[in-house]
Amino acid sequence: METTQIATQVTELSYALDTFYFLVMGALVMWMAAGFTMLEAGLVRAKNTAEILTKNVGLYSIACIMYMLVGYSIMYPGDFEGGVFQSLANIGILGKDDADAAAVAAGDSYYSTLSDFFFQVVFVATAMSIVSGAVAERMKLWSFFAFSVVLTGFIYPVQGFWKWGGGWLNAGGFADFAGSGVVHMCGAAAALAGVILLGARKGKYGSKGQVNAIPGANLPLAALGTLILWLGWFGFNGGSQLQVTGVDNANAVALIFVNTNMAAAGGLVFALLLSRLWFGKADLTMALNGALAGLVAITAEPLTPAPLQATMIGAVGGLIVVGSIVTLDKLKIDDPVGAISVHGIVGIWGLLAVPITNEEASLLWQLIGVVSIFAWVFLASFVVWFILKKTLGIRVSEEEEYEGVDIGECGLEAYPEFTSAE
Amino acid sequence: METTQIATQVTELSYALDTFYFLVMGALVMWMAAGFTMLEAGLVRAKNTAEILTKNVGLYSIACIMYMLVGYSIMYPGDFEGGVFQSLANIGILGKDDADAAAVAAGDSYYSTLSDFFFQVVFVATAMSIVSGAVAERMKLWSFFAFSVVLTGFIYPVQGFWKWGGGWLNAGGFADFAGSGVVHMCGAAAALAGVILLGARKGKYGSKGQVNAIPGANLPLAALGTLILWLGWFGFNGGSQLQVTGVDNANAVALIFVNTNMAAAGGLVFALLLSRLWFGKADLTMALNGALAGLVAITAEPLTPAPLQATMIGAVGGLIVVGSIVTLDKLKIDDPVGAISVHGIVGIWGLLAVPITNEEASLLWQLIGVVSIFAWVFLASFVVWFILKKTLGIRVSEEEEYEGVDIGECGLEAYPEFTSAE
Amino acid sequence: METTQIATQVTELSYALDTFYFLVMGALVMWMAAGFTMLEAGLVRAKNTAEILTKNVGLYSIACIMYMLVGYSIMYPGDFEGGVFQSLANIGILGKDDADAAAVAAGDSYYSTLSDFFFQVVFVATAMSIVSGAVAERMKLWSFFAFSVVLTGFIYPVQGFWKWGGGWLNAGGFADFAGSGVVHMCGAAAALAGVILLGARKGKYGSKGQVNAIPGANLPLAALGTLILWLGWFGFNGGSQLQVTGVDNANAVALIFVNTNMAAAGGLVFALLLSRLWFGKADLTMALNGALAGLVAITAEPLTPAPLQATMIGAVGGLIVVGSIVTLDKLKIDDPVGAISVHGIVGIWGLLAVPITNEEASLLWQLIGVVSIFAWVFLASFVVWFILKKTLGIRVSEEEEYEGVDIGECGLEAYPEFTSAE
């Protein structure tokens, strides 16, 4: 065989490996949809469980469709000739893979465009999943779906473009490796806007300022959801290296896996210790949120820290999340699953921590990124939620809230035999 | 290093990547066993849950053993010298991998024979999993296992050979990329035969023709099961490309991942919309079956549609499944989880939709495939179920059905503390 | 392009594939943490569920941190210059990947050091997970965590070094491919020491010698946990080949996948049959433990058996586990989930079965391995448990045990709405 032929074969093999790596990482991120679904289903009351399940599987599906129709080309306009709706044209209608054999041979492409689309589409679903937990137990199902259409099709892609699509935040130097800001704080900002307009659940805050615990109905599901997210996060962060071929890339992906794992471990242990010291008990839900906080914290920069640093970045995230959950309750911001604290407050910590280990990042641009992404997503979401409130309405009736949204919205119960005595 | 040596190294590397890809895809398909287990456990009543769990883990194990003993060599006789029981000889007793280094160097083999066996063995388990849901809550456990032996060892492999083993359906031009017919409709046909001989659950159909809903006990498990199946289906369809090396193959696998995902999303959204319009409620179980319907629909041809087409093929599947579930109930065909509708009726839709996007397929041969596979599996299964009915019996006693098959068959309860008050 | 350049490219591509394979296999093993969590949560009573969840997510996190700080360098001192705490220095503080491009080009390294660390760290968590089930429903949470620190940081790595770090057991000829002894029997020995010092749960053994069944609260979770472990085991055994490139390695990994799957299937079917014959019922929990027994049994040697042999090795494991569970109860060794039987007794069977198919192994050295690992882990663990018993105490108060450790240790209930009537 001739040398040129072999060289082409090697290039094609490299292309296949990077594409396969991307698809496997994307499948892990898709699996995070199950993680959010189980986490949220475990942390709400039995009477609101079927509805939160419906929201989660529904929002994932809506995210996929909207991102294909418009979102992907808003976020990555450079990849498409002819303007904004080219993702519909190129991806949706043509199923076109720009990366053909000639392009690969010429060195213009190292993985399938469609594998990139798959990886991106599961990211937007993640952002939207964050919202569903925060507004649980009192929001109208179809208003939520309407908001999902706008967030996944428009609001998320605009700020995604700013950073990952090559926009101004990227040009300025804002660093957000896998999306502590672009994905997690984005979801939390949209959730916060919704929660403010929606108000707290009945009975959550007493007239004398006391905070009443409303325990989740099924903690094994919450633990399962957390472990699913932990696993999926290897894809979320590990896939964000975008390439595994070459010694440097392979080593980078390995370090990212290790750091992601260590940050979650650090977050869990420190949240558990803090809750033991503060509340006197090893609060499982705090531990789970601590692990997620560690994961969110490391997501902005999982590559430059050493594993011990990653553990500490996660640990600080775990401490922050406990304090944040308590504080938000004092502010009467009712977030049944702690999503705003985990993904928003800790997302900000993750972004601000980047310059500690990454010399190329600056605190200034990290702050600019935080403020601009938060402002855009919060304000745009607020407007959309506000319009929904004035039109469809966003809150279920008091009676439906009391009886549970499962019967009202879905016409069935999640556990008809376990709670029938009540 | 000499060019020949490098060329060999590249060929071997390609072999390793394709084998690894096959194993990862196969592991995802194995994971579908957990999906079916959770889906079915969530959709039956609490008193029948331990038994459906036992059926699912049991059938998976039986499928693996029977397919190794006889099934694989019935289905792929061409791979083996010396006739029908060579899978026992080559795979089982010798653990022989035909693909040795010399064969690879000669270009005769591009992945491990054993990785192919692994991928195939999890497919037959999928087909059998479909049956367990349809006959739930009233069938004798050991008669079910006896049927599993016959289906996985003989009935499935015969029609599998017709298509994938190089038999007459394949020669004629029947197209079924990943098994809407060979796997899904096959399972549904076997289930239908069983359901007809078994009869409906007590109380399902009233004397005046009304259909009584028998709600599932644990809908989070049903949602989890659906999401597991969704994830596993990336392996089911993505692995059916059989090779990831080469630009064309890599692009194909990526497109298959995207289309599989979009079809599920389309199926879920449209089933949810239809159930909202038709029943006035966002029925979660319909949404879940809609996602599965989308997945079944795209399985016959996940490669030639563009993603927008895949979404629509899935959406039609989602609409069909809602109508089919309602219709089967009118016909008093009692299928507790909707398996016959999801895998059978929508499987047929998937097969007939192939010619829309694949020019090489013909509606005639798709119809021939549907009729011949259905006829073979239904009739053969009917005979086996009938023999079982006349010998071991297939239905539990009325008393056992009333008290739940868990106590009767398994001697334990799935949720002893949650339902004890009843 | 020149030949040398291409050769380098091929070497680097091979490095990337092996690293990626290692990370994917490691992610599957990490997923086993969810398997143990669900299995144990399903098999305890509702009132002890939140605590077992907390133990499982906590021990995983502690294992990761302790193994990074000290364990890895105790176990693999040869990889590090400068002694015992070099894993902290090299992995933790430097995040150093010894495998740089020059080392790869020189053929000194074929995968990332950090991917190896990731794969190893999830193994030690597996060993510790085994302990939590056996001591469930009566042990103090923080004493358990204290033990976790010692086992994962010191006790496990010492015997791990004996075999996998190149120590005396390895030099002598002890064969333990993926850890029936080093991981599974190790965990069981530590558990046994704890169970002996801890005593049985109140009410488990009657004054007249009768054994009272204490049924698990949520069997779908137990089934899910088993299926998660089954899936994760493909990574556990498949990754222990350590390399997938090259035809021989790829074929080996494929055979390991097939054998792992067949052994689990064999274990499940035979445990189910035996429980049917012995107890008259198809006991689901025995079937699940049978599958796990099959997996443990094949772990010592998943490569030399043919699939039919693997099925039989697993089947014997399935038979042993049923007998062992009954026997341990007669000995009043109270192990709520059967972990000592599954991982300890069957782990020994797996080790002793190696010489049946692997000519290079000897029964003598297998026995030496069993005795030395068991003796070290049991005695060291006994000392640690004993010190904990005399200081912190290891058993909760009678009142707390009666009311459930969830309230006492975690301050919350796992299922507040399902069991509130009791």
Side-chain angles (χ1 to χ4, degrees):
Chain A
M1 205 185 287
E2 286 184 29
T3 317
T4 321
Q5 267 182 296
I6 299 178
T8 302
Q9 236 185 331
V10 172
T11 309
E12 294 204 2
L13 197 49
S14 182
Y15 178 89
L17 178 53
D18 279 326
T19 296
F20 180 56
Y21 145 81
F22 227 8
L23 293 171
V24 171
M25 297 294 106
L28 285 174
V29 181
M30 177 271 161
W31 185 226
M32 291 172 73
F36 283 108
T37 306
M38 291 300 106
L39 177 68
E40 297 173 14
L43 292 178
V44 300
R45 284 166 290 180
K47 66 183 178 182
N48 299 320
T49 303
E51 198 250 13
I52 201 84
L53 297 169
T54 310
K55 272 186 184 153
N56 270 280
V57 296
L59 77 87
Y60 179 85
S61 303
I62 289 169
C64 292
I65 293 172
M66 286 308 298
Y67 198 68
M68 174 185 69
L69 292 179
V70 288
Y72 189 55
S73 42
I74 291 177
M75 192 154 158
Y76 297 101
D79 295 354
F80 298 101
E81 300 161 10
V84 149
F85 292 95
Q86 288 299 309
S87 76
L88 177 59
N90 283 334
I91 298 285
I93 296 175
L94 298 177
K96 187 176 147 190
D97 215 315
D98 291 335
D100 58 9
V104 173
D108 290 342
S109 181
Y110 65 89
Y111 57 53
S112 153
T113 312
L114 285 158
S115 69
D116 179 69
F117 173 75
F118 180 68
F119 191 70
Q120 299 296 338
V121 87
V122 288
F123 266 59
V124 59
T126 299
M128 191 62 217
S129 291
I130 294 162
V131 182
S132 57
V135 301
E137 304 206 294
R138 66 233 197 250
M139 177 172 276
K140 284 189 175 176
L141 179 66
W142 292 93
S143 298
F144 176 82
F145 285 149
F147 181 79
S148 303
V149 167
V150 184
L151 184 97
T152 61
F154 305 95
I155 299 174
Y156 171 90
V158 165
Q159 51 96 41
F161 163 73
W162 291 352
K163 171 61 194 157
W164 292 335
W168 68 278
L169 277 177
N170 192 57
F174 173 61
D176 190 9
F177 190 89
S180 289
V182 173
V183 179
H184 293 278
M185 194 187 64
C186 166
L192 180 63
V195 166
I196 288 172
L197 283 171
L198 192 58
R201 290 166 294 172
K202 291 288 164 201
K204 177 66 187 173
Y205 304 113
S207 52
K208 293 170 188 168
Q210 75 274 31
V211 176
N212 301 313
I214 301 181
N218 198 332
L219 295 192
L221 295 187
L224 175 64
T226 302
L227 289 164
I228 292 174
L229 288 166
W230 196 322
L231 173 63
W233 230 290
F234 295 123
F236 199 91
N237 289 354
S240 293
Q241 177 68 11
L242 307 181
Q243 193 169 12
V244 74
T245 56
V247 173
D248 287 350
N249 281 322
N251 287 349
V253 175
L255 180 56
I256 291 168
F257 267 60
V258 170
N259 282 344
T260 300
N261 192 51
M262 294 312 302
L268 190 141
V269 167
F270 278 78
L272 197 61
L273 286 170
L274 179 58
S275 76
R276 176 72 185 77
L277 293 173
W278 194 352
F279 315 131
K281 298 285 182 181
D283 187 312
L284 170 64
T285 60
M286 286 298 180
L288 300 177
N289 274 327
L292 298 176
L295 291 163
V296 170
I298 203 64
T299 295
E301 183 49 271
L303 184 54
T304 53
L308 194 65
Q309 289 173 312
T311 312
M312 291 188 289
I313 289 166
V316 173
L319 297 175
I320 290 173
V321 82
V322 176
S324 173
I325 287 172
V326 172
T327 306
L328 286 191
D329 262 342
K330 287 204 175 138
L331 298 173
K332 299 195 180 178
I333 294 171
D334 182 21
D335 175 359
V337 306
I340 295 168
S341 297
V342 167
H343 301 275
I345 307 299
V346 179
I348 293 172
W349 154 242
L351 290 169
L352 298 184
V354 176
I356 298 173
T357 62
N358 184 342
E359 290 174 12
E360 291 174 22
S362 74
L363 192 58
L364 176 66
W365 270 98
Q366 294 309 97
L367 282 167
I368 292 172
V370 167
V371 171
S372 59
I373 292 175
F374 181 84
W376 159 249
V377 177
F378 181 82
L379 292 174
S381 299
F382 196 91
V383 169
V384 176
W385 288 123
F386 189 79
I387 292 170
L388 287 168
K389 187 171 181 174
K390 295 297 173 191
T391 51
L392 293 175
I394 58 175
R395 183 147 187 158
V396 299
S397 70
E398 275 199 41
E399 191 190 340
E400 187 175 330
E401 187 175 344
Y402 179 77
E403 292 187 345
V405 289
D406 284 6
I407 295 292
E409 298 284 12
C410 303
L412 41 72
E413 292 173 86
Y415 310 105
E417 299 181 50
F418 303 163
T419 54
S420 55
E422 295 177 70
Chain B
M1 206 186 287
E2 285 185 29
T3 317
T4 321
Q5 266 181 295
I6 300 178
T8 303
Q9 235 185 331
V10 172
T11 310
E12 294 203 2
L13 196 51
S14 183
Y15 178 90
L17 177 54
D18 278 326
T19 296
F20 180 55
Y21 146 82
F22 227 6
L23 292 171
V24 171
M25 297 293 106
L28 285 174
V29 181
M30 177 273 163
W31 185 226
M32 292 172 73
F36 283 108
T37 306
M38 291 299 105
L39 178 68
E40 296 174 16
L43 291 178
V44 300
R45 285 166 289 180
K47 67 183 177 182
N48 299 319
T49 303
E51 198 249 11
I52 201 84
L53 297 170
T54 310
K55 271 186 184 154
N56 270 280
V57 296
L59 77 87
Y60 179 85
S61 303
I62 290 169
C64 292
I65 294 172
M66 287 306 300
Y67 198 69
M68 174 185 70
L69 292 179
V70 288
Y72 190 57
S73 42
I74 292 176
M75 193 154 157
Y76 296 100
D79 295 354
F80 299 100
E81 300 162 9
V84 149
F85 292 96
Q86 289 300 308
S87 74
L88 177 59
N90 284 335
I91 298 285
I93 297 175
L94 298 178
K96 186 175 146 191
D97 214 316
D98 291 335
D100 58 9
V104 174
D108 290 343
S109 182
Y110 64 89
Y111 57 53
S112 153
T113 312
L114 285 158
S115 69
D116 180 69
F117 172 74
F118 179 68
F119 191 71
Q120 299 296 337
V121 87
V122 288
F123 266 59
V124 60
T126 299
M128 191 62 216
S129 291
I130 293 163
V131 183
S132 57
V135 300
E137 304 207 291
R138 67 237 196 246
M139 177 172 276
K140 284 189 175 176
L141 180 66
W142 292 94
S143 297
F144 176 83
F145 285 150
F147 181 80
S148 302
V149 167
V150 183
L151 185 97
T152 61
F154 304 95
I155 300 175
Y156 171 91
V158 165
Q159 51 96 41
F161 164 72
W162 291 352
K163 171 61 193 156
W164 293 335
W168 67 278
L169 276 177
N170 191 58
F174 173 61
D176 190 8
F177 190 88
S180 289
V182 173
V183 180
H184 293 277
M185 194 186 63
C186 165
L192 180 63
V195 166
I196 289 172
L197 284 171
L198 191 58
R201 290 167 293 172
K202 291 288 165 200
K204 176 67 186 172
Y205 303 114
S207 54
K208 291 171 188 167
Q210 75 273 31
V211 177
N212 300 314
I214 301 181
N218 198 333
L219 294 193
L221 295 187
L224 175 64
T226 303
L227 289 165
I228 291 173
L229 288 166
W230 197 322
L231 173 63
W233 230 288
F234 294 124
F236 199 91
N237 289 355
S240 293
Q241 178 68 13
L242 307 180
Q243 193 169 13
V244 74
T245 56
V247 173
D248 286 350
N249 281 322
N251 287 349
V253 175
L255 180 56
I256 291 167
F257 267 61
V258 170
N259 281 344
T260 300
N261 192 52
M262 294 312 302
L268 189 140
V269 166
F270 278 78
L272 196 62
L273 286 170
L274 180 57
S275 75
R276 175 72 185 78
L277 293 173
W278 194 351
F279 315 131
K281 299 284 182 181
D283 187 312
L284 171 63
T285 60
M286 287 297 180
L288 299 177
N289 275 326
L292 298 176
L295 290 163
V296 170
I298 202 65
T299 294
E301 182 50 271
L303 184 54
T304 53
L308 194 65
Q309 289 174 313
T311 313
M312 291 188 289
I313 290 166
V316 172
L319 297 175
I320 289 172
V321 83
V322 176
S324 174
I325 287 172
V326 172
T327 306
L328 287 190
D329 262 343
K330 287 206 176 137
L331 299 172
K332 300 194 179 179
I333 295 171
D334 183 19
D335 174 0
V337 305
I340 296 169
S341 297
V342 167
H343 302 274
I345 306 298
V346 178
I348 294 171
W349 155 241
L351 290 169
L352 299 183
V354 176
I356 299 172
T357 63
N358 184 343
E359 289 175 13
E360 292 175 20
S362 75
L363 192 59
L364 177 66
W365 270 98
Q366 294 309 97
L367 283 167
I368 292 171
V370 167
V371 171
S372 58
I373 292 174
F374 181 85
W376 159 249
V377 178
F378 181 82
L379 292 174
S381 299
F382 196 91
V383 169
V384 177
W385 288 124
F386 188 79
I387 293 169
L388 287 167
K389 187 172 181 173
K390 294 298 173 190
T391 52
L392 294 175
I394 56 174
R395 182 146 187 158
V396 299
S397 70
E398 274 198 44
E399 192 189 340
E400 186 175 331
E401 186 176 344
Y402 178 77
E403 292 187 346
V405 290
D406 284 5
I407 296 292
E409 298 284 12
C410 302
L412 42 71
E413 292 174 86
Y415 310 104
E417 300 181 49
F418 303 163
T419 54
S420 55
E422 295 177 70
Chain C
M1 206 184 288
E2 286 184 28
T3 316
T4 322
Q5 266 182 295
I6 299 178
T8 304
Q9 236 185 333
V10 172
T11 310
E12 294 204 1
L13 197 51
S14 183
Y15 178 89
L17 178 54
D18 278 326
T19 296
F20 181 56
Y21 145 83
F22 227 7
L23 292 172
V24 171
M25 296 294 106
L28 285 174
V29 181
M30 176 272 161
W31 186 224
M32 291 172 73
F36 283 108
T37 306
M38 291 299 106
L39 178 68
E40 297 173 15
L43 292 179
V44 300
R45 284 166 291 181
K47 65 183 177 182
N48 300 319
T49 304
E51 199 250 12
I52 201 85
L53 297 170
T54 309
K55 272 186 184 154
N56 271 279
V57 295
L59 77 86
Y60 179 86
S61 302
I62 289 169
C64 292
I65 294 173
M66 286 307 299
Y67 198 69
M68 175 185 68
L69 292 179
V70 288
Y72 190 56
S73 42
I74 292 176
M75 192 153 157
Y76 297 101
D79 294 354
F80 298 100
E81 300 161 11
V84 149
F85 291 95
Q86 289 299 309
S87 76
L88 177 59
N90 283 334
I91 298 284
I93 296 174
L94 298 178
K96 187 175 146 190
D97 214 316
D98 292 334
D100 59 9
V104 174
D108 290 343
S109 181
Y110 63 88
Y111 57 53
S112 153
T113 313
L114 286 157
S115 69
D116 180 69
F117 173 74
F118 181 68
F119 191 71
Q120 299 296 337
V121 88
V122 289
F123 266 59
V124 60
T126 299
M128 190 62 217
S129 291
I130 294 162
V131 182
S132 58
V135 300
E137 303 206 294
R138 64 230 197 252
M139 176 171 278
K140 283 188 176 177
L141 180 66
W142 292 94
S143 298
F144 176 82
F145 285 150
F147 182 79
S148 302
V149 167
V150 184
L151 184 96
T152 61
F154 305 94
I155 299 175
Y156 171 91
V158 165
Q159 52 96 42
F161 164 72
W162 292 352
K163 170 61 194 157
W164 293 335
W168 68 278
L169 276 178
N170 192 57
F174 173 61
D176 189 9
F177 190 88
S180 288
V182 173
V183 179
H184 293 278
M185 194 187 62
C186 166
L192 180 62
V195 166
I196 288 172
L197 284 171
L198 192 59
R201 290 167 293 172
K202 291 288 166 201
K204 177 66 187 174
Y205 303 114
S207 54
K208 293 170 187 167
Q210 75 273 29
V211 177
N212 300 314
I214 301 182
N218 198 333
L219 295 192
L221 294 187
L224 176 63
T226 303
L227 289 165
I228 292 174
L229 288 165
W230 196 322
L231 173 63
W233 230 291
F234 294 124
F236 200 91
N237 289 355
S240 293
Q241 177 68 14
L242 307 180
Q243 193 168 13
V244 74
T245 56
V247 172
D248 287 350
N249 281 322
N251 287 348
V253 175
L255 180 56
I256 291 168
F257 267 60
V258 170
N259 282 344
T260 301
N261 192 52
M262 294 312 302
L268 189 140
V269 167
F270 279 78
L272 196 62
L273 287 170
L274 179 57
S275 75
R276 176 71 185 80
L277 293 172
W278 193 351
F279 316 130
K281 298 286 181 181
D283 188 312
L284 171 63
T285 60
M286 287 297 181
L288 299 178
N289 275 325
L292 297 176
L295 291 163
V296 170
I298 202 65
T299 294
E301 184 48 272
L303 184 54
T304 53
L308 195 65
Q309 288 173 312
T311 312
M312 291 188 289
I313 289 166
V316 173
L319 297 175
I320 289 173
V321 83
V322 176
S324 174
I325 287 173
V326 172
T327 305
L328 287 191
D329 262 342
K330 288 205 175 137
L331 299 172
K332 298 196 180 178
I333 294 170
D334 182 19
D335 175 358
V337 306
I340 296 168
S341 298
V342 168
H343 302 274
I345 307 298
V346 178
I348 294 171
W349 155 242
L351 290 168
L352 300 183
V354 176
I356 299 173
T357 63
N358 184 343
E359 289 175 11
E360 292 174 20
S362 75
L363 192 58
L364 176 67
W365 270 98
Q366 295 309 97
L367 282 167
I368 292 171
V370 167
V371 172
S372 58
I373 292 175
F374 181 84
W376 159 249
V377 178
F378 181 82
L379 292 174
S381 299
F382 196 91
V383 169
V384 177
W385 287 123
F386 188 78
I387 293 170
L388 287 169
K389 187 172 181 173
K390 295 297 174 193
T391 52
L392 294 175
I394 58 174
R395 183 147 186 157
V396 299
S397 70
E398 275 200 42
E399 192 190 341
E400 187 175 330
E401 187 176 344
Y402 179 77
E403 292 187 345
V405 290
D406 284 5
I407 295 292
E409 298 282 13
C410 302
L412 41 71
E413 292 173 87
Y415 311 104
E417 299 181 49
F418 303 163
T419 54
S420 55
E422 294 178 70

